Amino acid sequence: MKRIGLRTIKTAISVFGCLLFFILLKLFEFIPGVPDNFAYSWYNPFFAGIATAFSVHASKSASLNQAKIRCVASLIGGIIGILLITFYELCGGKWPNLASVNLETFNFVLPYLLISFCTIIVIIVGVALKQQQAVFVSILTFLSVTVNPNVNVGQWQWQFGTNRILSTMIGVLIALGVNLFRFPHRFKNKNLLFCVCIDGMLLKEEDRFKGFMQYKMNYLHRIHANVTLFTTRTPTTFMPLLEDVKVEHPIICMSGAALYDPKTCTYLFTEKISIEASERVKEILKEAHISPFINLIRNNVLFTYNESLDNEGEEIYAESKRNAGYCCYISQSAPKEEVLYFLIVEKEEVVNPVLETIRKDKLLSEQLSILIYDVFETNQAKDLKYIKIYSKKIEDLSSIKKYALENQYDIVGLTSSTLSNHLLKNAKYAITIDTNEEDIKSQCKKIIDHNNPNDLFREVNKIYHYNLAKYGKNKT
């Protein structure tokens, strides 16, 4: 059974508040001189309940925005509805409720034509006031005032419209009161840095954050949790993902080979392959007739060198780099200097003999780390793989460890990708999904069902607000 969310509970409390407010108004009817229908005349818990249900949101900013829309919409629709009925009755007509509609006298023809015409006015007023989001609710309010089955508006044409507006306002205020309420003294672990791997977990096929994950990341930002991202990607591909996501801390990119500050667009730390090892890799790849993409960092810019394009995957990758932001693509051999990483786009069976040569080389086996995963830029090259060759030092994640030490943070690693398992090994608290490797899962504090990504963020929220002396470290 799924857990009942806080928004659901708040909605139920708000609706109960709307009903309770009606009971409180009923108490006034015990006062001598107050009419028996006083509560219902001025307040309707039905309309208040609808307004409060629309106004309860998980975030306070969204709740305030929705409350504003509901209030403005009720005023627009309610006032125009009241004015229409008043004008009609001042001109000598009798506004029909649904019960008094007569097919013999056709007493409904002119009122209904006026309702249709005034619907246009409601829309125009909403647009003129730059409240396009309120137009639908404005029409709903307008129709509830003018097309009413129960109230005889001839007795007092202002009463129902005023009732409708007041009910909405009260429902909105109750929702805001419940939504803005804070439990006193909620503990927060400000000394934690949550490192969330976005590869394979937070991305759609078209390389955009899922709306749900996007919302959750921003929620963590709103509650002032320290959150950053871990990715195999370069700034060229991950920076566009951050347009709607707030990240205050440097991003661990290229599998830990660099620490990148998205605010200043600078590399705070890089883990490079030595010149000796770089030249040896170039030599081995050249003998195998493989032309890699060689990546270097110079003046906070990622330079990608490539001599020739030998397959469709390489052509697609090269095209994605030409004229792209945060990098410089150069179609020539790379200079003799330290390399950040090599990228090979090739069939795994073609490159396997080369990788075996690298692994058997004593110098290279001690200095290099090799990652292999599917090409994600296109569905046209499914048989091709990305093979990335990094310095073995990325496995220690010195970049984020140094940053965490300087700021006195403990690292919390969260990932569903095996490519980022070294993040979990270097985290004080590690969380992964149940499809990860068994030896990695045995070292994690929490294992999440891969079908329920919300549980991952629920665990983050728990760690952030929990007494960590009771929570415990990883299972190592």
Side-chain angles (χ1 to χ4, degrees):
M1 181 178 177
K2 290 188 177 180
R3 177 183 171 186
I4 298 174
L6 184 59
R7 180 180 176 183
T8 303
I9 295 172
K10 285 183 175 181
T11 303
I13 294 172
S14 299
V15 170
F16 178 74
C18 293
L19 298 172
L20 184 61
F21 189 81
F22 178 72
I23 300 302
L24 294 175
L25 286 180
K26 289 290 287 184
L27 294 177
F28 282 90
E29 296 177 6
F30 287 103
I31 300 173
V34 176
D36 292 340
N37 63 343
F38 170 78
Y40 182 69
S41 297
W42 294 104
Y43 174 76
N44 189 327
F46 171 75
F47 293 123
I50 292 175
T52 206
F54 269 97
S55 299
V56 175
H57 283 263
S59 71
K60 294 176 177 62
S61 57
S63 189
L64 286 168
N65 183 57
Q66 189 61 41
K68 174 187 172 184
I69 292 172
R70 294 291 306 185
C71 289
V72 171
S74 294
L75 286 171
I76 294 173
I79 290 173
I80 293 177
I82 291 171
L83 291 177
L84 171 60
I85 296 172
T86 302
F87 175 77
Y88 187 82
E89 301 228 335
L90 286 175
C91 291
K94 181 174 176 58
W95 192 267
N97 61 25
L98 293 182
S100 63
V101 168
N102 193 315
L103 295 178
E104 295 179 357
T105 62
F106 294 98
N107 63 336
F108 60 90
V109 174
L110 183 56
Y112 282 13
L113 288 174
L114 291 173
I115 289 172
S116 302
F117 174 75
C118 287
T119 300
I120 300 174
I121 296 177
V122 171
I123 297 172
I124 291 173
V125 171
V127 174
L129 295 176
K130 296 182 180 180
Q131 298 294 325
Q132 287 88 341
Q133 290 179 297
V135 168
F136 170 76
V137 180
S138 296
I139 295 174
L140 182 65
T141 305
F142 170 72
L143 292 176
S144 71
V145 172
T146 55
V147 186
N148 180 32
N150 299 316
V151 177
N152 186 352
V153 292
Q155 294 177 354
W156 189 14
Q157 61 269 28
W158 289 79
Q159 185 170 322
F160 183 74
T162 305
N163 179 307
R164 178 71 169 88
I165 294 172
L166 287 176
S167 298
T168 298
M169 297 290 190
I170 293 169
V172 165
L173 290 175
I174 289 174
L176 286 178
V178 171
N179 219 35
L180 296 177
F181 176 78
R182 280 188 174 185
F183 291 102
H185 185 66
R186 196 177 188 192
F187 189 80
K188 294 182 179 180
N189 289 301
K190 293 293 187 70
N191 65 317
L192 297 180
L193 178 62
F194 295 94
C195 300
V196 182
C197 175
I198 64 173
D199 300 316
M201 178 172 64
L202 305 184
L203 298 172
K204 287 184 177 179
E205 291 181 356
E206 59 268 30
D207 301 334
R208 296 297 300 174
F209 272 95
K210 291 181 180 178
F212 168 78
M213 296 296 185
Q214 195 178 68
Y215 166 78
K216 288 294 184 180
M217 292 293 293
N218 287 333
Y219 165 75
L220 294 176
H221 174 80
R222 285 196 301 274
I223 63 175
H224 307 294
N226 299 303
V227 183
T228 188
L229 304 178
F230 182 99
T231 180
T232 61
R233 296 164 178 250
T234 69
T236 301
T237 50
F238 72 70
M239 284 297 283
L241 303 175
L242 303 182
E243 293 174 358
D244 302 313
V245 177
K246 296 177 182 177
V247 179
E248 295 294 330
H249 296 275
I251 293 170
I252 313 157
C253 58
M254 293 171 269
S255 298
L259 191 64
Y260 188 79
D261 186 350
K263 295 180 180 178
T264 60
C265 297
T266 56
Y267 289 91
L268 305 181
F269 183 93
T270 55
E271 202 73 83
K272 299 176 181 178
I273 302 171
S274 67
I275 293 179
E276 183 182 9
S278 297
E279 292 303 308
R280 177 67 181 137
V281 171
K282 291 178 187 177
E283 183 180 311
I284 292 174
L285 294 178
K286 188 173 183 179
E287 290 175 358
H289 305 290
I290 294 175
S291 179
F293 295 89
I294 302 175
N295 296 274
L296 317 171
I297 298 289
R298 230 182 272 124
N299 298 321
N300 286 309
V301 176
L302 179 66
F303 286 81
T304 301
Y305 291 86
N306 175 263
E307 292 188 57
S308 64
L309 303 174
D310 304 321
N311 59 53
E312 182 186 21
E314 291 181 358
E315 291 173 1
I316 293 171
Y317 184 83
E319 186 62 32
S320 70
K321 296 300 178 184
R322 293 189 183 101
N323 302 317
Y326 309 99
C327 73
C328 179
Y329 178 78
I330 302 175
S331 300
Q332 63 182 51
S333 60
K336 185 178 180 179
E337 59 182 271
E338 292 180 318
V339 172
L340 189 65
Y341 73 95
F342 293 86
L343 170 65
I344 302 168
V345 185
E346 189 54 86
K347 293 180 179 179
E348 196 168 358
E349 58 269 23
V350 173
V351 80
N352 271 341
V354 178
L355 298 181
E356 192 63 28
T357 301
I358 292 174
R359 292 187 181 106
K360 289 181 178 179
D361 187 293
K362 186 174 181 181
L363 168 69
L364 299 183
S365 63
E366 294 177 353
Q367 292 192 34
L368 302 181
S369 179
I370 301 172
L371 298 179
I372 302 173
Y373 53 97
D374 295 331
V375 171
F376 56 79
E377 265 87 359
T378 177
N379 291 324
Q380 300 174 7
K382 293 181 179 180
D383 57 336
L384 296 175
K385 298 285 185 179
Y386 280 146
I387 297 94
K388 287 188 176 181
I389 303 174
Y390 293 101
S391 165
K392 201 173 189 66
K393 292 180 180 179
I394 68 165
E395 297 176 8
D396 298 327
L397 286 183
S398 300
S399 57
I400 195 61
K401 280 184 178 177
K402 181 180 179 182
Y403 179 79
L405 183 63
E406 290 174 352
N407 293 277
Q408 297 183 324
Y409 292 138
D410 288 329
I411 298 173
V412 181
L414 305 99
T415 181
S416 64
S417 172
T418 56
L419 297 174
S420 54
N421 280 339
H422 55 299
L423 168 62
L424 301 179
K425 292 178 180 178
N426 288 282
K428 184 172 183 178
Y429 305 98
I431 304 172
T432 190
I433 60 173
D434 53 9
T435 55
N436 207 334
E437 298 171 357
E438 290 300 324
D439 62 323
I440 295 297
K441 289 193 292 182
S442 66
Q443 300 177 44
C444 293
K445 175 60 187 175
K446 191 73 175 181
I447 310 299
I448 302 298
D449 183 352
H450 68 281
N451 293 316
N452 297 306
N454 189 39
D455 289 349
L456 185 143
F457 286 95
R458 187 174 291 132
E459 193 64 25
V460 170
N461 196 59
K462 179 180 177 181
I463 296 174
Y464 183 56
H465 293 109
Y466 203 80
N467 185 341
L468 294 179
K470 298 179 181 178
Y471 190 84
K473 297 182 183 180
N474 292 348
K475 295 179 181 179
T476 51

